[in-house]
Amino acid sequence: NREQLWNEVEKNEKSSRAQLSREFNVALPIELSNTEQEKLTLDYCQKNFVDEGMVADISIHRDNQENPHFHVMLTTRPFTNDGKWGAKSKRELLTDEEGNVLYYPSGDKKSRKIRSTDWDTKERMQIWRESWATMANHSLKENGINQKISEKSYADLGEEKQPTIHEGFVAREMEAKGKNSDRIQINKEIKESNAKAAIVYTLKKDAEEIKDTETIVRSLSPTEKK
């Protein structure tokens, strides 16, 4: 019951600056059917979030057939073994080499914050990204689709492209009514730039192949060249 869940979350967090949830917006492969997309979504959230101790509140959006995606809101506070809300972190006292507690000049004990989970780390985020690519690619292959996605950025892949920004329902609705949307205009410009970058990238690769071929040919004897 999502209403009960988030009311309980809000009731439990005492600080006005507390993080109530973590949200992801994940694009679904359009090559998969609705049923296959749903199965992939549930399997991914079960393995990566629920099995790790979070509650996952999932909504699949298909208002734009060219951009099916799901939103998942996750609880940020772990649970204790008896199902109650646990602590997000604890304080660990700092000691010297002999085990004596260290103090600040004010007389307060020195301590450091230890998080109960690694859910906020960059390392965990990378694991989630890699897991999505792996599971999505497995689903595509399982359904006879010869396509692959990658969790890597264009920079990591060596491609001189820019990622597009999220447009959202409001921007697309404005465009459908003939109104200008800054977000959609930005994406049009990025796509045009990427198309030009793709041509340059292809030309560079061709030039490198020609150069490699010439280097090999120069090292051959006349008989080998023949």
Side-chain angles (χ1 to χ4, degrees):
N1 185 314
R2 56 165 50 108
E3 182 179 355
Q4 182 182 356
L5 169 66
W6 298 114
N7 279 337
E8 289 297 321
V9 167
E10 201 163 79
K11 187 192 302 181
N12 193 69
E13 301 294 346
K14 307 303 179 186
S15 171
S16 60
R17 297 183 299 171
Q19 181 184 1
L20 302 182
S21 66
R22 181 181 295 102
E23 182 184 6
F24 291 105
N25 180 352
V26 185
L28 287 162
I30 59 174
E31 297 83 359
L32 299 177
S33 69
N34 288 4
T35 302
E36 290 157 359
Q37 288 176 354
E38 184 173 341
K39 182 179 185 305
L40 174 59
T41 298
L42 295 177
D43 288 349
Y44 175 76
C45 290
Q46 181 70 45
K47 177 182 176 181
N48 290 275
F49 306 135
V50 179
D51 288 353
E52 292 294 320
M54 291 168 254
V55 178
D57 183 354
I58 305 165
S59 291
I60 296 177
H61 291 185
R62 295 195 179 92
D63 48 287
N64 179 357
Q65 292 301 314
E66 297 301 313
N67 182 31
H69 59 278
F70 71 88
H71 296 260
V72 55
M73 284 179 62
L74 304 162
T75 50
T76 58
R77 185 177 288 274
F79 292 93
T80 59
N81 289 333
D82 59 359
K84 295 180 180 178
W85 295 109
K88 290 181 178 178
S89 63
K90 62 180 180 179
R91 305 301 301 186
E92 181 180 74
L93 294 177
L94 298 179
T95 59
D96 58 22
E97 295 178 354
E98 298 177 355
N100 300 312
V101 176
L102 298 175
Y103 291 85
Y104 291 107
S106 63
D108 294 332
K109 294 178 180 179
K110 288 187 175 182
S111 64
R112 63 181 173 187
K113 186 178 181 179
I114 304 295
R115 292 190 177 277
S116 303
T117 68
D118 66 348
W119 301 339
D120 276 327
T121 63
K122 290 183 178 179
E123 292 76 15
R124 177 56 61 178
M125 182 65 179
Q126 185 60 27
I127 290 171
W128 286 334
R129 288 172 64 88
E130 291 174 0
S131 178
W132 173 249
T134 299
M135 294 183 72
N137 287 335
H138 176 75
S139 181
L140 287 166
K141 184 178 180 180
E142 199 174 43
N143 287 283
I145 300 164
N146 188 26
Q147 295 285 344
K148 279 190 175 183
I149 67 169
S150 174
E151 81 284 359
K152 294 179 180 178
S153 66
Y154 288 138
D156 290 337
L157 293 170
E159 297 187 29
E160 298 177 3
K161 290 183 180 180
Q162 301 177 62
T164 54
I165 63 172
H166 179 64
E167 292 176 353
F169 174 76
V170 175
R172 290 194 299 272
E173 193 175 48
M174 287 174 61
E175 194 76 4
K177 293 179 179 178
K179 299 178 181 179
N180 291 327
S181 163
D182 291 342
R183 286 182 166 272
I184 289 180
Q185 184 57 40
I186 289 170
N187 275 346
K188 285 180 180 177
E189 292 172 3
I190 290 174
K191 288 172 183 176
E192 288 174 4
S193 175
N194 285 344
K196 293 175 183 176
I199 294 171
V200 173
Y201 177 78
T202 302
L203 291 173
K204 283 183 178 179
K205 293 294 289 183
D206 289 346
E208 288 172 4
E209 289 178 9
I210 292 169
K211 187 177 179 181
D212 290 342
T213 302
E214 289 175 345
T215 302
I216 293 169
V217 170
R218 280 197 299 270
S219 68
L220 299 176
S221 68
T223 304
E224 288 171 330
K225 287 179 183 177
K226 186 177 179 181

